[in-house]
Amino acid sequence: MKLPINTHPLLLAREPEAYIFAMMTAKDEKALPFLLSRFISVAAYNDTSKTEAVVGYNNNYVDYYLWRSDKLRLDTVQIPNDVAYDGLAVNIIKSLLDTGEYVIGIWNEQYVPCKRSYMNNYMAADFLLYGYDDKAQQFNNFGWNGGGLTEFTVSYDITSKALPLKDPPMHLLWGASVADADSSFDVVNTAAELREFVSANGSNHDSCAFGYKAIEYLAHDVRTRQKAIGCIDKRKMLFLQELVALMRIRIDYLISNGIINNSELLSKALRAEQDACNISCMGDQNKYNEAAKAIMLLSQSMKDIAQSLLIELEGNHAAAV
């Protein structure tokens, strides 16, 4: 059995956001306005032993999978490693899928053949299962496999081996169901995330920079760590492209629906989107210094766009924001 999945979601670079878009736009794009009112605030991470993100969307661990929004409902399953007998996790996953719930979880990619950490080092990372086949003894997975986001299968046996985590020492699973709640554009949340982006004063327990300063940190990472490795990370450049493209799509939606009226803001967003594409080309050619300088300039452009959009929203919807 398989649940519907959008294999070409709007966001591709990072699994958490790709999963949300893949589930919530599997049948149609009714949830798109709601999704456009999120994914603005970003955070940077300087400890790559904990995460491969370097930069990613920052939801302050409050509404990371939108569970407080009632748009995506989660049932939490936590199984201590020392009581997880053989086959227990597989049966729980299948039961969740049978009830129409996607299964989001965290596993150790050291045991997953298509991952960079396979047979190398412990790496806790997100996964999404949307179906299973008892005859083939495998789950249907959607995530990064080699060079891109795609569908692939993972055997029951590999899944069982990958699920035990070190910290916390348990299996972490969530059954996710898309709610039929209102999916209109959320002006209040958009304004809050824009403020955080511009002020760069967000917070969570393991990040080093927030908002536009997180993009500046990406520039620093390109000309230091990535240069030392000898390769610019394409997924980081893709994240940057998608962040800027999403801002352009957001502004276009707001203008088209009469929420704001500023065509110049859309023009600025289009120019920023082209700049992000140019940076990606620099990344393909490993032009470290040029890419880092361009990313720094783009961070300021995005700050200016976010500030202008916030002013527009505050002026037109003062009571709401």
Side-chain angles (χ1 to χ4, degrees):
M1 65 81 61
K2 291 183 183 180
L3 298 176
I5 196 88
N6 178 3
T7 58
H8 296 89
L10 199 54
L11 300 183
L12 301 171
R14 284 173 30 86
E15 278 93 337
E17 296 79 39
Y19 295 163
I20 291 171
F21 276 77
M23 290 184 289
M24 295 188 68
T25 61
K27 297 179 180 178
D28 53 49
E29 294 191 345
K30 290 181 180 178
L32 188 57
F34 169 80
L35 293 171
L36 290 176
S37 60
R38 278 158 168 77
F39 308 106
I40 299 169
S41 177
V42 293
Y45 305 82
N46 58 5
D47 188 350
T48 54
S49 67
K50 289 185 177 180
T51 174
E52 294 181 341
V54 178
V55 63
Y57 293 99
N58 174 43
N59 288 308
N60 295 317
Y61 297 96
V62 173
D63 202 19
Y64 197 62
Y65 270 118
L66 313 182
W67 45 48
R68 293 193 177 186
S69 66
D70 285 333
K71 305 298 187 298
L72 191 65
R73 294 172 182 161
L74 299 183
D75 293 324
T76 304
V77 179
Q78 298 182 351
I79 311 170
N81 290 340
D82 56 3
V83 302
Y85 59 83
D86 187 39
L88 175 61
V90 168
N91 288 333
I92 290 175
I93 292 171
K94 288 168 58 180
S95 296
L96 290 169
L97 291 167
D98 284 338
T99 59
E101 295 183 82
Y102 301 87
V103 178
I104 298 170
I106 302 174
W107 62 9
N108 176 12
E109 293 186 337
Q110 187 176 8
Y111 292 99
V112 185
C114 61
K115 301 299 182 177
R116 285 191 295 179
S117 298
Y118 179 56
M119 297 183 67
N120 185 15
N121 60 286
Y122 178 88
M123 179 58 68
D126 301 283
F127 67 84
L128 169 65
L129 305 178
Y130 65 96
Y132 68 88
D133 182 343
D134 269 340
K135 185 175 180 180
Q137 292 284 290
Q138 61 190 20
F139 289 113
N140 297 99
N141 198 309
F142 181 63
W144 273 79
N145 182 356
L149 194 69
T150 184
E151 301 170 272
F152 60 97
T153 58
V154 180
S155 72
Y156 292 170
D157 182 57
I158 288 174
T159 303
S160 296
K161 290 179 180 178
L163 283 174
L165 301 176
K166 291 182 179 180
D167 184 21
M170 59 177 58
H171 297 33
L172 293 180
L173 303 168
W174 290 270
S177 56
V178 179
D180 293 326
D182 174 54
S183 295
S184 58
F185 189 88
D186 187 342
V187 174
V188 173
N189 190 79
T190 303
E193 290 204 26
L194 287 168
R195 288 191 200 99
E196 185 175 284
F197 186 91
V198 172
S199 64
N201 64 355
S203 62
N204 63 40
H205 69 273
D206 60 3
S207 299
C208 63
F210 304 89
Y212 75 93
K213 289 185 179 179
I215 300 177
E216 291 182 350
Y217 181 81
L218 176 60
H220 166 75
D221 188 71
V222 165
R223 63 171 170 257
T224 56
R225 187 186 65 86
Q226 294 187 42
K227 185 176 183 178
I229 293 172
C231 181
I232 292 181
D233 193 323
K234 291 183 178 180
R235 284 182 68 177
K236 308 303 184 293
M237 300 302 102
L238 178 58
F239 168 82
L240 190 60
Q241 279 186 273
E242 291 180 349
L243 174 69
V244 179
L246 196 64
M247 181 63 82
R248 187 265 303 164
I249 294 169
R250 180 181 296 113
I251 292 170
D252 192 17
Y253 171 85
L254 292 171
I255 292 174
S256 298
N257 287 271
I259 300 174
I260 66 170
N261 182 22
N262 188 334
S263 58
E264 177 57 28
L265 189 55
L266 180 58
S267 297
K268 290 181 179 179
L270 284 165
R271 287 195 292 271
E273 189 173 12
Q274 183 58 58
D275 290 341
C277 290
N278 293 339
I279 291 169
S280 183
C281 292
M282 295 175 194
D284 290 340
Q285 300 171 43
N286 286 332
K287 294 182 177 180
Y288 304 99
N289 294 334
E290 294 93 330
K293 182 178 179 181
I295 292 171
M296 287 292 290
L297 292 173
L298 183 61
S299 72
Q300 291 302 311
S301 296
M302 288 296 288
K303 179 185 178 183
D304 292 343
I305 290 170
Q307 180 69 69
S308 297
L309 179 54
L310 179 59
I311 291 171
E312 287 284 326
L313 291 176
E314 288 178 331
N316 295 339
H317 301 270
V321 301

